[in-house]
Amino acid sequence: MTLSKKLGAEFIGTFWLVLGGCGSAVLAAAFPDVGIGLLGVSLAFGLTVLTMAFAIGHISGCHLNPAVSIGLWSGGRFSLSEVGPYIGAQIAGGIAGAAVLYIIETGQAGFDVSAGFASNGYAEHSPGGYSLIAALVTEIVMTFMFLIIILGATDKRAPQGFAPIAIGLALTLIHLISIPITNTSVNPARSTGVALFQGGWAVDQLWLFLVAPIVGAILAGVVYRWFEAGEND
């Protein structure tokens, strides 16, 4: 598969993740009387990954997330030469998804993007008022576990054909745990897309949602390499 096709798949997949996941939070979660709530938003994010894994997994590997690309590289599963292009495609897809969501949402009278656009935050901008340290630990640990699951589920020794289900359910569980803390990132592309449209505090706090997922992903890659080395002893 050519790199351009892989990048196109990553763009479309990340576009869908942001539009589907953040869209569920912005458009459906707070809808009067029939809002989907925390569980619905969590499922929406998991379903975006699950559906795209089947749709484009055979094309690009369905990373949809700079932290995943970096974690797979750290774990010895992905070429360093493709990390940069993948990240560029993912961020572009995330911005495009946020742009479409913004266009849709501005069709509602009284819409105010500064009031909330599924952006990630800490302290006074955490849904539950959690501190910077709590947010930092959450994002590192959740991304670490996400990459451990991805690396394990896609290991050639793992049961075949079930990886998309395990990964999609993992992302759902991660959102169930961490939406109250940070509104759940574990994905710099997802965070960047909506932050750029909300602006203000969302951009000011974006650094944490770029750094923490990458740290967690690299640590997971290192740990999983240790697991694999142990199997070869």
Side-chain angles (χ1 to χ4, degrees):
M1 194 67 64
T2 64
L3 180 59
S4 62
K5 291 180 179 179
K6 293 178 182 179
L7 299 183
E10 286 296 305
F11 176 91
I12 292 171
T14 313
F15 169 88
W16 181 233
L17 183 146
V18 171
L19 182 59
C22 296
S24 72
V26 172
L27 300 171
F31 197 82
D33 301 325
V34 294
I36 61 176
L38 172 70
L39 177 59
V41 174
S42 300
L43 282 170
F45 273 99
L47 288 171
T48 62
V49 171
L50 175 61
T51 53
M52 280 295 106
F54 283 111
I56 66 168
H58 56 287
I59 300 172
S60 68
C62 190
H63 297 186
L64 317 186
N65 181 341
V68 171
S69 297
I70 291 171
L72 291 174
W73 163 76
S74 175
R77 301 277 190 86
F78 192 57
S79 169
L80 180 60
S81 65
E82 292 188 335
V83 169
Y86 263 56
I87 290 174
Q90 292 154 1
I91 291 175
I95 293 171
V100 170
L101 180 58
Y102 181 82
I103 293 168
I104 293 170
E105 187 65 3
T106 53
Q108 182 183 49
F111 169 66
D112 179 11
V113 71
S114 66
F117 198 55
S119 296
N120 303 113
Y122 54 85
E124 67 270 26
H125 300 296
S126 157
Y130 288 84
S131 69
L132 185 157
I133 295 300
L136 184 67
V137 170
T138 297
E139 289 293 326
I140 290 174
V141 172
M142 292 298 129
T143 312
F144 174 88
M145 292 308 304
F146 191 37
L147 264 295
I148 289 291
I149 292 164
I150 290 170
L151 288 161
T154 57
D155 193 306
K156 62 184 179 181
R157 297 165 294 178
Q160 298 301 298
F162 295 99
I165 298 171
I167 295 166
L169 289 175
L171 190 59
T172 298
L173 176 57
I174 286 167
H175 278 77
L176 288 171
I177 296 167
S178 59
I179 283 178
I181 305 167
T182 63
N183 221 14
T184 309
S185 172
V186 302
N187 185 338
R190 169 261 190 269
S191 298
T192 299
V194 292
L196 292 180
F197 282 88
Q198 178 154 359
W201 66 263
V203 173
D204 293 340
Q205 295 192 353
L206 181 60
W207 67 269
L208 186 146
F209 305 102
L210 302 180
V211 173
I214 290 172
V215 171
I218 290 173
L219 290 174
V222 171
V223 169
Y224 205 82
R225 279 200 179 200
W226 175 68
F227 287 154
E228 292 183 319
E231 286 294 315
N232 295 326
D233 288 345

